[in-house]
Amino acid sequence: MMHVVTGEDIAELISQAADQVEELVRANPEAVIGIATGSTPEPLYAELTRRTGEGLDLSRLRITCLDEYIGLPAEHPQSYRHYIAEQILEPWGIDPAHTVLPEGDAADPDVAAAAFEDGIRSLGGVDLQILGIGPNGHIAFNEPGSPADSRTRVVDLTAETREANSRFFDSIDEVPSQALTQGIGTILESRKAIMLAFGAGKADAVAAMIDGPVDEDVPASALQDHSALEVFLDAAAASRLVSGPPEHRRRLRPAGQEEVDRMRLICQAILFDIDGTLVDSTASVERTWRTWAAEQGIDADAILRTSHGRRSQDVLIEHIPEGQVETAMRRLSELEVSDTDGVIALPGTREILTSLPAGSWAAVTSGERHVMVPRLEIAGLPVPEVLVTSEDVAHGKPDPEGYLAAARQLGVDPAQCLVIEDAPAGIRAGLAAGAHVLGVATSHAIDELTDAHARVPDLTVCRFTPADDGIVVEIGD
């Protein structure tokens, strides 16, 4: 779950990040805070130190960090243990005994790495991890190629990273060539994380992290799977985001509406989900599942909690033996075809679909073709030339197969597509396909759709304008 905050004023961004740290500390004075080193987070630490003068007590915090150079003793001015003592422990009045830090000068670095991992575990894990991002997309010292499930270990530093860090040393020859680092898997276990990125030098890495697919060549992209990540970007760092410059990514709260996002992008094709995105068939679908569940003596609520946006066969196999799925599918199909009461087009969808050029959009559904085509027709919506249904794929959402198939049939790179989805499983499928994703809160609360690049209450707040270079999609003012 990633939330991106952008702005022109770095001081204001730092203040907002500090607010989140303060909120945690006031709720849990003994929280475990993971410290990132380097120049980017220093203003955050300085702001928190300033707040101690206003009564914020940080002295009971427990401290860990991301990494440490191999070969530097703790007293070396460029060791991260020295940094933490100088920037954190002394200003915040924290007892050094309340820290778990890696020993970069240990006789056996591999043993030290294991001990550091065990030490983090002994603290109960990290409550809030501060993060930065390298120009090549590294987080901590996880360089490109680091597995998403990696643990604390010894790593070799790339020439690019050593060059970037040489400004802290008298010469690049003094920069260590190895480090101990938390692995990406370790970092993902933090309960919350805050990333700070400022300056044009971080723009490419930030764009790859936020808008690109999860890729080992961009270690920070694994943070798309973090349970609670806040990203604070200045205008320069946000300048390469595909969803537009900062003014299109700010939060807004229109009168009478839930919080939505501003976004502007140009795409080559739009890939729509159907149920809950184009068509409101919720009542019909729920009645179908409840009727079938009653016939089988199965708890319908247990099914409905996980069924939306997924293929029926994938849901069924979680509740009945695999050998009974085919029979159950036939019965569900009978029920779905016979119950279309209340199936209507969702707000804005008819106008959008009729305005889009032929061949520029497709629908990807977890339903069966003989069920979904009548639903579109009953709702008064056009049936797309490209319609990918549950019968067309081996794997249903959240697998990206359906969206990849639709993009392929349209002859468009998935990265140039906008997926529009109402369910978390579908949003994950769109992201996994490498597309931009818009979440519509027509079946789920808007705060359940935070994995999407942007979210709206429904499609009436969106504008889709065909242009020479594609479809211009605008959300908000």
Side-chain angles (χ1 to χ4, degrees):
M1 184 183 301
M2 184 186 298
H3 176 211
V4 179
V5 180
T6 64
E8 300 286 344
D9 187 344
I10 292 178
E12 174 59 25
L13 294 169
I14 290 294
S15 179
Q16 291 182 52
D19 288 343
Q20 298 200 13
V21 178
E22 180 171 350
E23 181 181 355
L24 171 64
V25 173
R26 293 197 182 279
N28 180 11
E30 297 180 356
V32 178
I33 305 291
I35 299 299
T37 55
S39 56
T40 298
E42 286 183 7
L44 172 61
Y45 305 146
E47 171 61 15
L48 290 167
T49 298
R50 186 191 67 78
R51 294 186 185 192
T52 63
E54 298 178 348
L56 179 61
D57 183 6
L58 303 174
S59 65
R60 295 162 60 189
L61 291 175
R62 293 171 295 162
I63 300 297
T64 185
C65 70
L66 288 169
D67 42 29
E68 177 61 284
Y69 288 117
I70 287 179
L72 296 188
E75 62 273 12
H76 190 286
Q78 297 307 325
S79 79
Y80 293 154
R81 286 166 291 173
H82 182 273
Y83 178 104
I84 288 171
E86 187 176 67
Q87 298 280 342
I88 306 297
L89 305 185
E90 295 172 10
W92 297 359
I94 297 174
D95 187 337
H98 294 164
T99 64
V100 170
L101 306 174
E103 295 186 46
D105 54 346
D108 189 329
D110 290 321
V111 171
F116 182 44
E117 180 92 13
D118 290 342
I120 295 172
R121 193 175 298 112
S122 72
L123 292 174
V126 175
D127 293 303
L128 175 61
Q129 178 64 60
I130 310 299
L131 295 168
I133 183 171
N136 64 356
H138 75 252
I139 49 173
F141 276 130
N142 292 284
E143 301 286 2
S146 297
D149 61 354
S150 56
R151 312 302 301 186
T152 301
R153 65 203 188 284
V154 176
V155 295
D156 295 324
L157 303 183
T158 66
E160 184 178 8
T161 295
R162 293 184 70 231
E163 176 66 32
N165 288 359
S166 65
R167 66 189 188 278
F168 300 115
F169 294 81
D170 290 336
S171 73
I172 193 170
D173 294 335
E174 294 184 10
V175 182
S177 59
Q178 289 187 310
L180 294 175
T181 186
Q182 283 191 36
I184 296 173
T186 314
I187 293 169
L188 289 176
E189 290 175 357
S190 58
R191 283 176 277 279
K192 182 172 182 175
I194 289 175
M195 173 176 281
L196 305 173
F198 308 130
K202 301 296 179 70
D204 286 337
V206 164
M209 175 187 77
I210 294 174
D211 290 326
V214 176
D215 188 335
E216 288 185 358
D217 287 339
V218 184
S221 66
L223 294 171
Q224 293 177 24
D225 293 326
H226 197 284
S227 60
L229 173 66
E230 297 280 334
V231 183
F232 293 88
L233 308 172
D234 71 345
S239 62
R240 298 296 299 276
L241 292 173
V242 296
S243 40
E247 60 266 25
H248 295 297
R249 295 185 67 88
R250 293 179 299 188
R251 295 307 202 213
L252 69 154
R253 191 181 297 275
Q257 293 183 358
E258 295 182 87
E259 182 183 76
V260 298
D261 298 318
R262 285 181 177 155
M263 181 175 76
R264 183 182 189 277
L265 64 84
I266 299 175
C267 59
Q268 301 303 309
I270 301 177
L271 312 179
F272 295 92
D273 172 54
I274 296 181
D275 282 330
T277 299
L278 295 177
V279 171
D280 182 358
S281 57
T282 303
S284 171
V285 171
E286 183 170 328
R287 287 193 299 267
T288 294
W289 277 113
R290 288 195 181 280
T291 300
W292 178 83
E295 292 174 353
Q296 304 299 315
I298 294 175
D299 180 7
D301 289 332
I303 293 175
L304 290 170
R305 279 194 291 270
T306 62
S307 62
H308 192 78
R310 300 172 61 205
R311 297 191 308 173
S312 296
Q313 56 263 52
D314 295 332
V315 176
L316 286 168
I317 204 167
E318 297 173 356
H319 297 275
I320 61 176
E322 187 171 359
Q324 299 176 20
V325 169
E326 185 176 348
T327 300
M329 282 294 298
R330 284 197 297 270
R331 177 57 178 152
L332 280 170
S333 292
E334 292 172 0
L335 292 168
E336 285 183 305
V337 170
S338 65
D339 184 350
T340 58
D341 289 348
V343 173
I344 60 172
L346 282 161
T349 57
R350 187 175 294 109
E351 295 79 5
I352 291 168
L353 295 184
T354 55
S355 72
L356 294 174
S360 69
W361 68 281
V364 179
T365 175
S366 297
E368 297 175 288
R369 184 174 298 269
H370 73 277
V371 174
M372 302 314 296
V373 170
R375 278 187 188 161
L376 289 169
E377 293 173 342
I378 290 168
L381 298 178
V383 176
E385 296 177 9
V386 174
L387 172 60
V388 179
T389 68
S390 62
E391 302 103 315
D392 300 321
V393 296
H395 305 286
K397 302 171 186 178
D399 191 278
E401 183 181 352
Y403 282 117
L404 292 172
R408 184 169 58 251
Q409 291 181 48
L410 290 174
V412 177
D413 184 339
Q416 298 299 317
C417 294
L418 173 66
V419 164
I420 303 182
E421 269 280 0
D422 69 302
I427 288 172
R428 293 198 298 274
L431 293 170
H436 316 309
V437 181
L438 172 63
V440 288
T442 46
S443 66
H444 288 69
I446 206 162
D447 60 6
E448 295 181 63
L449 309 179
T450 50
D451 285 345
H453 291 107
R455 306 160 299 164
V456 293
D458 60 49
L459 291 177
T460 61
V461 300
C462 305
R463 292 184 298 279
F464 298 79
T465 307
D468 291 340
D469 53 351
I471 302 166
V472 179
V473 182
E474 298 172 288
I475 300 168
D477 297 334

